[in-house]
Amino acid sequence: MATQQHDSSVYEQVQASERFQELKRHFRAWTFPMTAAFLSWYLLYVVLSGWARDFMGIKVLGNINVGLILGLLQFVSTFWIARAYSRHAEKKLDPIADEIRHEIEGRPE
């Protein structure tokens, strides 16, 4: 069985381009460390909840304890990360993605 030679598709050409590789580098350089940081922060909360109950139960203000504050900070950090990613994408990723898109749209079919 002979293999057929074919021209690489537009998608394969884009994926092989230096600009697309740069886009992936910018994405990974932000996403992987932030994911590791958030998962570490979440795991710390889970571990403290399970094995540091006395610490988590310390009352800070009225019936508000350390565990409640750290739990609410999980939500705050999630929204902060979403906002930070949005700003990162707007600044670093979107310009490159727009450039790649315009280049592809300008190609004859």
Side-chain angles (χ1 to χ4, degrees):
M1 174 180 236
T3 59
Q4 291 182 344
Q5 292 288 351
H6 65 351
D7 293 335
S8 60
S9 72
V10 173
Y11 302 107
E12 291 170 328
Q13 291 171 8
V14 169
Q15 186 177 11
S17 74
E18 182 57 37
R19 290 301 279 163
F20 186 75
Q21 296 305 316
E22 180 183 356
L23 178 65
K24 285 180 16 178
R25 276 193 302 276
H26 282 297
F27 174 77
R28 290 177 178 158
W30 195 92
T31 306
F32 289 164
M34 190 58 69
T35 300
F38 180 77
L39 288 175
S40 298
W41 157 236
Y42 177 72
L43 184 60
L44 174 67
Y45 175 71
V46 170
V47 167
L48 288 174
S49 295
W51 286 280
R53 292 179 181 256
D54 292 338
F55 171 72
M56 296 294 269
I58 295 173
K59 301 235 184 216
V60 176
L61 182 64
N63 286 330
I64 299 172
N65 60 23
V66 172
L68 180 61
I69 291 171
L70 292 179
L72 291 174
L73 285 174
Q74 290 288 317
F75 290 100
V76 172
S77 65
T78 300
F79 289 113
W80 179 84
I81 290 169
R83 175 67 179 137
Y85 177 76
S86 175
R87 294 179 76 185
H88 169 73
E90 184 179 340
K91 193 184 225 184
K92 300 275 186 177
L93 305 178
D94 291 349
I96 299 171
D98 288 342
E99 184 180 307
I100 293 169
R101 182 173 47 89
H102 291 303
E103 180 184 322
I104 292 169
E105 289 174 349
R107 288 185 184 182
E109 293 193 31

